[in-house]
Amino acid sequence: MTAAQVVAGVAALVAASGIALMMAAVGGWQPRERVRRATGRSWSWTAVRLPAAAGVGAVVWALTGWPALGLGAATATIGLPAMARAGTNAEDQIDRVEAVEEWTRRLADVLAIGIGLEQAIQTAARTAPPSIAAEVATLSARLAARTPTETALRRFADDLDDPTADLVVAALILASRRRGPGVAAALTAIADSVGEEVAARRRIEADRAKPRTTARAVTVITLAIIAAGLLNRSYTGPYGTILGQVVLSATLGFFGAALWWMHSMTRSTRPARILAAAEGRT
């Protein structure tokens, strides 16, 4: 590695950092409110992944002199974190559904005492599971502010944004309209159904974790081989030619496509919601 390559790499890193800071100043670092409530973070990787990818790609290109490897590094900066978070995101969704089940059982227990629906929701909000505590507290605050019960429940469903949670909210909406007995028993039955779904989802995710682990291992081995090859330029010298860059680009492209194909097979698909979102509701 020559001094010129080091200087070029440092210059590219400084330029990419400046671009990232300018984009942060213009667009801001704040994620969507639902992401903030779910993760507790005040910034989002999505907001900076493009400038970060450009910076990584520029540095790799400057240090190696291979534009194909720079482009591959930029693409990996965007794609690898998304694939690595797939299992974590699925587990987070399952945890939130399990929290909905737990809160539903607590609400059914409170309703079994014989108090009203609105008061029961506010009482159960005090012991809501941490995963949905913010959404339940918002629902309780809306009811305390005299928001119509059905409107508050529909907004609660939009905040949770989960088709399984829609089942619970739909039962609560019917209970708010009819005000008859049997609501506690109905909620308990729904909670049992949700519990079975949670167990099924966990079994599915356990099976999907195996190919994810294989993909991670293959990726780490491949990156190690690339790093070792860069240290031995006499072995990887042919890739420095124009034809070598074309071959390297095709190889990295096929490898990336195979990884993304494996990722798509293990990615969870969310079913359609039962209750329409607020902006699409008539």
Side-chain angles (χ1 to χ4, degrees), residues 24 84-85 99-100 104 133 158 201 233 273:
R85 290 194 308 268
V100 170
T104 303
D158 293 341
R201 286 193 186 186
R233 284 302 184 94
R273 287 186 53 194

Side-chain angles (χ1 to χ4, degrees), residues 244-264:
Q245 287 296 287
V246 173
V247 173
L248 181 60
S249 299
T251 302
L252 292 176
F254 283 124
F255 179 72
L259 279 182
W260 190 256
W261 176 60
M262 293 181 66
H263 168 67
S264 63

Side-chain angles (χ1 to χ4, degrees), residues 44-273:
S44 172
W45 163 248
T46 305
V48 298
R49 62 181 178 180
L50 291 180
V56 171
V59 171
V60 173
W61 185 354
L63 293 178
T64 63
W66 293 353
L69 197 58
L71 180 60
T75 305
T77 303
I78 296 176
L80 289 182
M83 289 187 284
R85 290 194 308 268
T88 303
N89 292 340
E91 288 295 332
D92 290 342
Q93 291 177 1
I94 295 175
D95 290 341
R96 283 172 62 82
V97 174
E98 190 172 28
V100 170
E101 176 203 356
E102 183 179 349
W103 177 76
T104 303
R105 294 188 186 278
R106 294 178 183 177
L107 181 59
D109 292 339
V110 176
L111 285 170
I113 301 175
I115 64 177
L117 177 62
E118 290 78 7
Q119 184 180 355
I121 291 175
Q122 293 176 336
T123 302
R126 301 169 187 168
T127 58
S131 299
I132 60 171
E135 290 83 356
V136 174
T138 302
L139 170 63
S140 178
R142 285 169 179 157
L143 294 175
R146 303 300 181 185
T147 302
T149 303
E150 182 169 344
T151 301
L153 288 172
R154 287 185 176 274
R155 290 179 181 175
F156 175 59
D158 293 341
D159 291 339
L160 292 176
D161 192 23
D162 188 272
T164 304
D166 284 351
L167 291 174
V168 177
V169 175
L172 294 176
I173 289 175
L174 292 177
S176 68
R177 291 176 180 175
R178 299 181 180 179
R179 303 286 176 177
V183 177
L187 289 179
T188 301
I190 292 176
D192 292 339
S193 176
V194 174
E196 295 175 357
E197 180 176 348
V198 169
R201 286 193 186 186
R202 292 202 185 279
R203 289 193 297 269
I204 293 172
E205 288 303 318
D207 292 337
R208 288 174 173 172
K210 300 174 184 177
R212 287 174 185 154
T213 303
T214 301
R216 292 191 186 100
V218 171
T219 303
V220 171
I221 294 173
T222 302
L223 293 177
I225 293 174
I226 293 175
L230 291 176
L231 295 176
N232 186 4
R233 284 302 184 94
S234 60
Y235 178 75
T236 58
Y239 286 107
T241 63
I242 296 178
L243 178 60
Q245 287 296 287
V246 173
V247 173
L248 181 60
S249 299
T251 302
L252 292 176
F254 283 124
F255 179 72
L259 279 182
W260 190 256
W261 176 60
M262 293 181 66
H263 168 67
S264 63
M265 289 193 301
T266 61
R267 186 171 49 190
S268 302
T269 57
R270 293 182 53 183
R273 287 186 53 194

